[in-house]
Amino acid sequence: MTTVFLLITAVLTALIAGLFYAYSCSVVLGLGKLSDLEYLKAMQSINREILNPVFFISFMGTAVLLPVSTFLFRGNNPAFIFLLIASIAYLVGVFGVTVFGNVPLNDMLDQFNINNSTNDLISQMRGNFENKWNFLNNIRTVFSVISIFLVICACIWNKEV
């Protein structure tokens, strides 16, 4: 049963890593080509739409399943160590960065009234948002890829397989 649990953890971790990776190497690049007004409207829409059950299951599920898997594999030295490091990487570099970095920026952007703003205010908002948000997203991407790599290592070195 612990092996099945580990595989579910791997799938969810891979889904999140894939989301952030795809975003970093495609969506951000496309959005970067938009005008300030188009960019802010697109980011407001994306930030609102990502708050859905499918995203929450994978994002929150990974935050829960990685530590639970780590606990289940205590005593299984290689798998336990890989899962422990994966849990720390995810909880700090993905979950923590999202909660304490990206979400406050998303909230700031969500409260910004684009329709009642001048072009200068729109340009200023983009300047205050885009580079910081992209930097934080790149951190999430790196740490989510590290996490899935470590979970795969735990799967390979799992003594129960």
Side-chain angles (χ1 to χ4, degrees):
M1 188 64 182
T2 55
T3 300
V4 171
F5 208 81
L6 178 59
L7 291 174
I8 293 168
T9 302
V11 169
L12 290 181
T13 307
L15 289 171
I16 285 299
L19 171 79
F20 291 133
Y21 172 77
Y23 209 90
S24 287
C25 70
S26 64
V27 176
V28 166
L29 300 175
L31 290 173
K33 305 269 190 249
L34 299 176
S35 71
D36 293 342
L37 177 63
E38 293 170 321
Y39 173 84
L40 293 180
K41 283 185 175 185
M43 282 302 294
Q44 280 183 338
S45 180
I46 290 168
N47 290 338
R48 291 172 183 153
E49 292 303 316
I50 195 132
L51 301 176
N52 66 70
V54 175
F55 172 74
F56 280 121
I57 287 169
S58 54
F59 182 72
M60 298 300 291
T62 303
V64 170
L65 292 179
L66 274 170
V68 170
S69 292
T70 302
F71 176 78
L72 291 174
F73 281 86
R74 68 195 184 283
N76 182 342
N77 237 8
F80 172 79
I81 297 299
F82 287 126
L83 290 168
L84 179 62
I85 298 168
S87 294
I88 294 167
Y90 186 84
L91 292 173
V92 173
V94 180
F95 190 82
V97 168
T98 300
V99 169
F100 297 109
N102 293 91
V103 169
L105 288 171
N106 292 348
D107 290 345
M108 176 186 72
L109 180 60
D110 191 55
Q111 294 170 8
F112 182 69
N113 187 337
I114 294 172
N115 296 325
N116 292 333
S117 295
T118 64
N119 287 340
D120 287 341
L121 285 175
I122 290 170
S123 179
Q124 182 181 4
M125 174 55 79
R126 183 177 185 169
N128 290 334
F129 179 86
E130 184 176 23
N131 289 335
K132 291 175 195 171
W133 196 96
N134 289 345
F135 175 73
L136 293 170
N137 190 65
N138 287 335
I139 291 171
R140 298 186 304 185
T141 301
V142 168
F143 278 92
S144 62
V145 170
I146 289 168
S147 295
I148 188 55
F149 174 79
L150 292 167
V151 172
I152 291 168
C153 290
C155 290
I156 292 169
W157 279 281
N158 177 9
K159 292 178 185 176
E160 295 180 17
V161 175

